[in-house]
Amino acid sequence: QVQLVESGGGLVQAGGSLSLSCTASGVALSIFKMGWYRQAPEKQRELVARISSGGNLDYADSVKGRLTISRDNAKNTVYLQMNSLKPEDTAVYYCNAKYIRVDLWGQGTQVTVSS
């Protein structure tokens, strides 16, 4: 069974840090473009960061310099290091894996940043 499982969400004060992980089972992530998306209440899901199979990076302007995406293909895992968190970063964070017509999503992990 192909599955993406996120972990690492939680509650943190503004200015704090969290680290999210997304581990795949049933599929090798090395060929996938991996991304982190987020969805806040009553808002559309938006791209936060993504990393290609070759390591090219792309970030939303709102998170540049604060959030860092990385991948470890040997561990079949992608990470999102989140520093200097702001209350507006509060959302459910989803892991995504794309390759041609394959489009996989995790179940999401809640990140809440208190002011």
Side-chain angles (χ1 to χ4, degrees), residues 7-90:
S7 61
L11 174 64
V12 65
Q13 287 189 332
S17 298
L18 281 175
S19 181
L20 305 184
S21 299
C22 170
T23 300
S25 59
V27 64
L29 292 183
S30 59
I31 61 172
F32 285 81
K33 177 183 289 186
M34 300 300 301
W36 286 96
Y37 290 73
R38 67 187 181 189
Q39 187 167 16
E42 300 181 358
K43 291 191 176 181
Q44 288 193 332
R45 191 172 296 189
E46 63 176 358
L47 174 68
V48 174
R50 57 189 170 196
I51 181 169
S52 71
S53 57
N56 293 321
L57 306 176
D58 188 20
Y59 292 96
D61 288 342
S62 59
V63 306
K64 283 180 181 176
R66 301 188 299 115
L67 275 58
T68 303
I69 188 171
S70 61
R71 65 193 300 162
D72 186 336
N73 291 333
K75 294 183 178 180
N76 227 22
T77 299
V78 63
Y79 305 95
L80 186 67
Q81 178 63 41
M82 302 190 293
N83 300 326
S84 302
L85 283 164
K86 304 175 181 180
E88 51 263 43
D89 294 317
T90 295

